[in-house]
Structure formats: structure tokens, C-alpha cells
Amino acid sequence: MHSSTALRLIDRSPTITGSEIAGGLVPPPQFEHASFDSYRPDADYPSQAGAVEKLKEFEGVWRAQRPGGFFSRNRKPKSALPGIYLDGGFGVGKTHLLASLWHAAPGPKYFGTFIEYTALVGALGYAETVALLSGTRLICIDEFELDDPGDTMLMTRLLGELMATGTRVAATSNTPPNSLGEGRFAASDFLREIQALSSNFETVRIDGLDYRRRNVEGRATSVEDSALEHMVDTMVGRGTAVSSDNFDEMMKHLATVHPSKYIKMIDGIDVIALSGAHVLHNQTDALRLVAFIDRVYDAEIPIVASGTPLSEVFDDDMMGGGYRKKYQRAMSRLIALTTGELPPHD
């Protein structure tokens, strides 16, 4: 596909500083106004309403510390543990609740994905990251990953130092359903991997149905190459900031850019066009695509694509392997981004 006036993502090799990463550690735009009141618990799953109460209690510790606060004339909150972990499957609203806690808590505070915090350490160095985050009242970590033992140990060490100085931590992880739709990334796995900190975390189980299930059972929209080029030309003519790239060329380019910089790659883009999508067989490439799609989804940038439907680019070995939780999340997001119907946010 060629369009002389469309933008190209492969021409973008942004740099990002530690201060820029830190400045971006806030909830994604779709959660800018998330609150406990705007969360809609499913009455069929009482643990959802229970999670809201647990998080309000967690946030209540700060109110108890303020003169004249709500708890100053009552008993102390039940939970004084400095960490809370939201344990549940896809689509039960964990990110919404985590963002709600962040908005309700006093600052200084940070909200980011696991990969953003590890990227911060990579950009600043460990000691400088500790110095930057010291004194923080709350750190929220969405999508805590345990795939890389080195990164897990790094984050455990970092959080241990911060918690020792009074920082409180709230975390989630994404969970894949198994073939029966009941599997989950168990809290016991999380606590085992962060064993040095496990006694500091209260686990809050959130049950429920995946609001994205109907979308995951669908497929991403794909168009013919000729239709895609016409769409790109039309959007360019209307002044839309559309990027136009070949799928293989974009995958090669993603390998040259650190995932923490993907957000700057798509800055200012209104629509992403990709031609020639096909099934991936290299897991490293697939994981880079997942990280890229996470940023596109957070930025709510629609995708138009030709070739294999983007929700089907992960091969069977990947979908049956240890990273399937990542691929399943990416599938649901790719369906939403290509159909133009973003689902409610997790």
C-alpha cells in the first residue's frame, strides 16, 4: 500500500526520557474520570461490590491520618496492610477500580503498567528511580507481569524499598480463562513470585463474567487492499492524521523501538492503517505487537487493516502457551479497535 501523503509509523523512532515516562504515569484517558461511584458491579457477583468496599477501606487509611478525617471518630480501618492485589479474570473491571483508587488517594502518586515501571528503571537507573519515587503515597501497577524472573525481582526489590518508607501499593494482573472459562492467574502465583513482599498484600478476589466475551468470540474487521488504500486516501483528503504501513515493515520497526516509546510513536495519529497482516509464528514479534496494541488501545486509535484479521495473527502454539493471557487480551482489543466499537473498559 502506498499513499504519498499519509504518515508512516516506520519513520518514527522517538526518544523518551525518564522524566517523560514519570510524567505519563497516570491512568489512561478512558479512565480519566473513573470513580468508585461510576463502577457498576454485577449483582450476580457480590465480590465486585465487595471489592469496591475493600478499596474504599484501603483509601480510608489516608483519611484516618488527616485531622478530623472520617475515621478519626471511629474505629481504625480493618486493613492497614500497605499493599492490595486485585485478583480476577478478564473484564471484571480491575483497571477501572485501580484508577478509581488512584483518583481518590492523595498525592504524590503514580499509575502505570508493569512495563512502564521497568522502562522507568531502564531509563533512569535503579537508584535514581528509587529517589524519584521515594515519598510517593501510592503506586498503582496495572497488569503486573511475572513472565520475566529478572523484571519480577527488580520490581519486588523496588517496591520493597518504597513500602519500607511508607508508600502503599495497589496491583492487578490480567487473567486468561482456560478451556472451561474458569481459569485464572491465581493470587497464589503472584504472592509466590513476590514472596519477599507477600505478607504486605491483601488479596481481593473479583469474580464475574468477561464483558468482552462477545467480542473475543467475534473477529477483527479486515478489508481488501484496494479498499484500504481508498480509505487512506479519503481520510488524508479530509485532513485526518492517518498512518499507513505494511504489516511486516511495521513489525520489523517495532523491534528497533523500546516498548516504552510506542506511545510516542502514535502521538498525534487519528487512525492507523496496516496492509498485509498475516499470522505470526515468532513469539518475540507477537509480544511486541501486544505491547504496541496496548498503547493503541489506551489512546483509543481506530485501526483499519487488510490481510488476515488482526485478532487471528497469533498462531495456535501461542494461544496454547504460557503467554496466552497477553494474546487473548490483545485479540479482544484488536476486535474493538477494528470494529469501531470499544467495549466498556476493564
Side-chain angles (χ1 to χ4, degrees):
M1 177 177 57
H2 175 70
S3 179
S4 59
T5 52
L7 302 168
R8 297 200 308 170
L9 295 179
I10 63 172
D11 292 334
R12 296 183 166 199
S13 297
T15 59
I16 192 166
T17 65
S19 59
E20 285 179 315
I21 296 174
L25 290 176
V26 297
Q30 63 265 39
F31 298 109
E32 183 179 355
H33 303 293
S35 69
F36 295 130
D37 288 340
S38 64
Y39 179 73
R40 295 290 178 259
D42 188 334
D44 291 334
Y45 295 92
S47 61
Q48 293 188 13
V52 174
E53 294 309 309
K54 281 287 188 182
L55 287 168
K56 286 182 177 178
E57 186 178 286
F58 188 80
E59 186 270 333
V61 170
W62 285 296
R63 287 184 282 121
Q65 295 170 348
R66 295 201 293 265
F70 176 81
F71 287 104
S72 63
R73 296 186 295 276
N74 298 279
R75 60 183 174 82
K76 291 183 179 179
K78 294 178 182 177
S79 174
L81 289 175
I84 192 164
Y85 171 69
L86 304 183
D87 177 40
F90 280 114
V92 295
K94 300 186 303 297
T95 302
H96 183 127
L97 289 173
L98 192 67
S100 299
L101 173 65
W102 187 89
H103 286 299
K109 54 191 176 181
Y110 293 98
F111 183 110
T113 61
F114 183 87
I115 194 172
E116 288 175 312
Y117 287 108
T118 56
L120 181 64
V121 176
L124 292 180
Y126 183 82
E128 193 170 339
T129 300
V130 172
L132 174 70
L133 299 180
S134 291
T136 300
R137 305 291 291 278
L138 174 68
I139 287 181
C140 291
I141 307 171
D142 200 20
E143 302 169 12
F144 202 105
E145 307 285 2
L146 303 180
D147 303 317
D148 186 310
D151 282 347
T152 302
M153 290 177 62
L154 172 71
M155 283 298 291
T156 300
R157 179 186 171 198
L158 176 64
L159 295 179
E161 289 201 35
L162 296 174
M163 292 172 97
T165 62
T167 297
R168 309 189 86 214
V169 176
T172 76
S173 66
N174 275 298
T175 309
N178 63 13
S179 58
L180 299 177
E182 297 174 346
R184 64 189 179 88
F185 184 91
S188 58
D189 294 333
F190 171 78
L191 296 175
R192 181 182 64 248
E193 294 300 325
I194 64 158
Q195 52 188 301
L197 296 178
S198 60
S199 63
N200 292 318
F201 278 84
E202 177 181 8
T203 298
V204 176
R205 174 71 180 140
I206 309 176
D207 300 294
L209 297 176
D210 179 3
Y211 60 71
R212 289 187 287 248
R213 185 167 297 162
R214 65 177 178 85
N215 291 315
V216 174
E217 291 175 352
R219 67 192 318 213
T221 299
S222 179
V223 301
E224 296 295 326
D225 283 330
S226 57
L228 181 61
E229 184 156 3
H230 177 71
M231 293 168 71
V232 170
D233 288 340
T234 299
M235 286 186 282
V236 168
R238 293 175 178 171
T240 301
V242 56
S243 65
S244 177
D245 293 270
N246 172 268
F247 184 75
D248 277 333
E249 291 180 351
M250 190 195 72
M251 292 305 304
K252 290 178 181 177
H253 185 62
L254 290 181
T256 70
V257 180
H258 190 277
S260 64
K261 302 174 184 176
Y262 290 168
I263 188 63
K264 291 190 73 174
M265 270 184 63
I266 59 176
D267 184 44
I269 300 292
D270 296 323
V271 180
I272 291 172
L274 294 172
S275 64
H278 59 81
V279 175
L280 297 171
H281 301 290
N282 180 292
Q283 185 140 258
T284 301
D285 287 342
L287 292 173
R288 286 194 191 101
L289 179 61
V290 169
F292 177 73
I293 293 305
D294 283 344
R295 302 289 76 78
V296 174
Y297 185 82
D298 285 345
E300 299 181 312
I301 301 173
I303 297 176
V304 291
S306 67
T308 300
L310 287 171
S311 57
E312 300 171 16
V313 300
F314 307 113
D315 71 16
D316 291 342
D317 287 342
M318 294 176 191
M319 295 310 299
Y323 295 106
R324 65 189 181 278
K325 61 174 181 168
K326 294 173 182 278
Y327 301 134
Q328 189 144 14
R329 182 181 75 235
M331 287 169 61
S332 68
R333 293 182 169 187
L334 284 163
I335 292 168
L337 291 167
T338 60
T339 59
E341 295 182 5
L342 290 175
H345 300 292
D346 187 10

